[in-house]
């Protein structure tokens, strides 16, 4: 139930914020929120993250559909069941659905969160992108922490079992 609620909430929030941007800003317009750091802009992205694969909308729709099937259908094969992993799946599914709705309905994704610092500019993104990246980041972090626990050296006095070449007891 957590996955469904979170996915639905992310997709609705994503679509609502994009609706507000499309109805309050012309394409290419921007409004300063934090001068010198953050604007709300109206950008049409026909590609993937950071504008890669521009004009490849049909392929990105297919990729999104495949990823939804893999994440929802096979998640138990690559992640354990637990609250953190349900949150991760909810974030990723909600984000994919939010951008997929744009791709199917509009033929592009609406991006509007625009961060920059002096001459450095981060590509515009949206709520769905944030959810996907957060979900993937949490998954990677959880896997790194889990593998770190498994690979941690034994403390002094703990037996790690026989080593290769040791005689059997």
């Amino acid at each position: 139930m957590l996955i469904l609620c979170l996915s639905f909430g992310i997709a609705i929030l994503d679509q609502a914020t994009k609706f507000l941007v499309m109805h309050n800003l012309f394409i290419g317009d921007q409004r300063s929120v934090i001068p010198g750091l953050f604007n709300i802009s109206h950008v049409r992205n026909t590609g993937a993250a950071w504008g890669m694969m521009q004009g490849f909308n049909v392929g990105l729709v297919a990729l999104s559909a495949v990823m939804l099937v893999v994440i929802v259908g096979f998640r138990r094969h690559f992640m354990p069941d637990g609250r953190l992993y349900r949150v991760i799946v909810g974030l990723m599914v909600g984000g994919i659905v939010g951008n997929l709705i744009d791709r199917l309905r509009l033929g592009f994704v609406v991006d509007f969160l625009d961060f920059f610092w002096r001459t450095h500019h981060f590509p515009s993104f949206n709520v769905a992108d944030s959810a996907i990246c957060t979900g993937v980041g949490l998954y990677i972090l959880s896997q790194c922490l889990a593998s770190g626990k498994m690979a941690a050296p034994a403390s002094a006095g703990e037996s790690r079992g026989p080593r290769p070449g040791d005689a059997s007891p």
Side-chain angles (χ1 to χ4, degrees), residues 11-33:
I12 294 296
L13 179 63
D14 178 66
Q15 290 298 300
T17 54
K18 290 172 180 176
F19 176 86
L20 290 171
V21 166
M22 290 189 314
H23 287 85
N24 290 295
L25 292 174
F26 291 110
I27 299 165
D29 280 355
Q30 58 187 19
R31 302 261 168 84
S32 179
V33 177

Side-chain angles (χ1 to χ4, degrees), residues 38-135:
F38 174 56
N39 291 334
I40 299 291
S41 302
H42 185 172
V43 178
R44 289 183 174 178
N45 183 359
T46 60
W50 300 287
M52 296 183 298
M53 300 168 55
Q54 289 294 321
F56 194 60
N57 194 53
V58 173
L60 292 169
V61 166
L63 178 62
S64 296
V66 167
M67 290 310 302
L68 282 173
V69 169
V70 168
I71 291 170
V72 173
F74 298 99
R75 74 180 175 89
R76 294 183 196 274
H77 295 282
F78 56 88
M79 64 175 72
D81 191 33
R83 181 181 287 280
L84 173 63
Y85 293 102
R86 289 191 297 268
V87 168
I88 289 169
V89 170
L91 288 168
M92 290 192 291
V93 168
I96 292 169
V97 167
N99 280 340
L100 185 57
I101 290 169
D102 278 10
R103 290 189 192 288
L104 292 171
R105 190 172 63 93
L106 305 169
F108 56 85
V109 171
V110 176
D111 289 332
F112 58 90
L113 300 170
D114 186 28
F115 288 89
F116 54 94
W117 177 256
R118 298 184 181 158
T119 61
H120 305 287
H121 190 262
F122 193 80
S124 296
F125 58 100
N126 58 46
V127 171
D129 297 335
S130 300
I132 294 167
C133 289
T134 301

